[in-house]
């Protein structure tokens, strides 16, 4: 299933993401593609809002991961910008997280391509101009018509 939306502001991206956040469940892994400034962190802010975690998201670029905790589950927000090798990934502690009971979103997932599970949710953000983004979500039927 593929969903697509054009947003014209960060606020519109947050509100599109909020709708997806409401549908997320434990075990979900979201892998982003899209360059610097595309809106991956902005989208993640909306996911956290949709999950009921509040306006908690900031960029994890200088950490590998930010964790936001909720009553039932945590949101792990990874930034793989600086990860280049399998050794980097292993020594970062990536494999110690409890992916099955929580939700993970991964910026720069391109950098760990071969280590990602098959059934993840893929989100691609393309910058069309300064305020305009094309967001494409590939995932299961749960997300059908989310942005209609
Ligand atoms: N439609 C839009 N959706 C998301 N961000 C946008 C949009 N238009 C402009 N922006 C700006 O683009 C930047 C996106 O930054 P960020 O979310 O940190 O990107 P990334 O995590 O992909 O590097 C922010 O400064 C945001 O205000
Ligand atoms: Mg970011």
């Amino acid at each position: 299933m593929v969903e697509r939306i054009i947003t014209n502001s960060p606020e519109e991206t947050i509100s599109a993401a909020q709708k997806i956040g409401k549908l997320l469940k434990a075990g979900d892994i979201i892998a982003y593609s899209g360059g610097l400034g595309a809106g991956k962190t902005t989208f993640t802010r909306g996911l956290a809002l949709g999950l009921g975690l509040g306006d908690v998201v900031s960029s994890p670029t200088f950490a590998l991961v930010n964790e936001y905790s909720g009553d039932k589950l945590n949101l792990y927000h990874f930034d793989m910008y600086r990860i280049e090798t399998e050794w980097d990934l292993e020594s970062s502690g990536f494999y110690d997280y409890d992916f099955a009971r929580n939700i993970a979103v991964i910026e720069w997932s391109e950098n760990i391509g071969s280590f990602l599970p098959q059934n993840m949710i893929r989100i691609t953000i393309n910058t069309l101009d300064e305020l305009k983004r094309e967001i494409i979500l590939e995932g299961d039927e749960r997300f059908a018509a989310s942005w209609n």
Side-chain angles (χ1 to χ4, degrees):
M1 189 241 45
V2 180
E3 289 292 298
R4 180 179 174 276
I5 192 171
I6 303 279
T7 66
N8 294 292
S9 66
E11 292 74 23
E12 281 183 32
T13 293
I14 288 169
S15 119
Q18 235 174 310
K19 291 174 184 159
I20 302 304
K22 288 190 176 129
L23 301 171
L24 294 178
K25 51 185 176 51
D28 283 337
I29 298 179
I30 292 182
Y32 288 110
S33 308
L36 202 64
K40 304 176 294 294
T41 298
T42 302
F43 194 93
T44 306
R45 263 180 86 184
L47 292 178
L49 285 166
L51 281 163
L53 303 180
D55 192 8
V56 289
V57 170
S58 60
S59 181
T61 298
F62 297 100
L64 173 89
V65 60
N66 286 345
E67 292 185 48
Y68 315 111
S69 35
D71 295 338
K72 296 197 185 114
L73 47 70
N74 301 322
L75 176 62
Y76 302 142
H77 180 196
F78 292 95
D79 191 320
M80 300 306 187
Y81 189 67
R82 287 182 171 69
I83 300 288
E84 284 172 359
T85 64
E86 181 167 10
W87 169 246
D88 287 346
L89 190 62
E90 178 139 15
S91 55
S92 75
F94 181 73
Y95 295 109
D96 301 330
Y97 287 90
D98 186 352
F99 293 98
R101 287 198 182 80
N102 297 288
I103 295 169
V105 307
I106 307 175
E107 299 195 27
W108 297 100
S109 63
E110 300 92 330
N111 287 0
I112 60 160
S114 51
F115 309 108
L116 289 169
Q118 293 297 307
N119 59 343
M120 65 196 175
I121 300 156
R122 289 186 163 280
I123 293 178
T124 305
I125 307 181
N126 296 315
T127 302
L128 302 183
D129 68 29
E130 197 181 338
L131 289 174
K132 202 178 212 146
R133 303 290 188 271
E134 176 189 43
I135 306 174
I136 298 164
L137 181 151
E138 297 164 78
D140 63 50
E141 287 306 316
R142 214 177 344 154
F143 304 104
S146 293
W147 290 333
N148 287 3

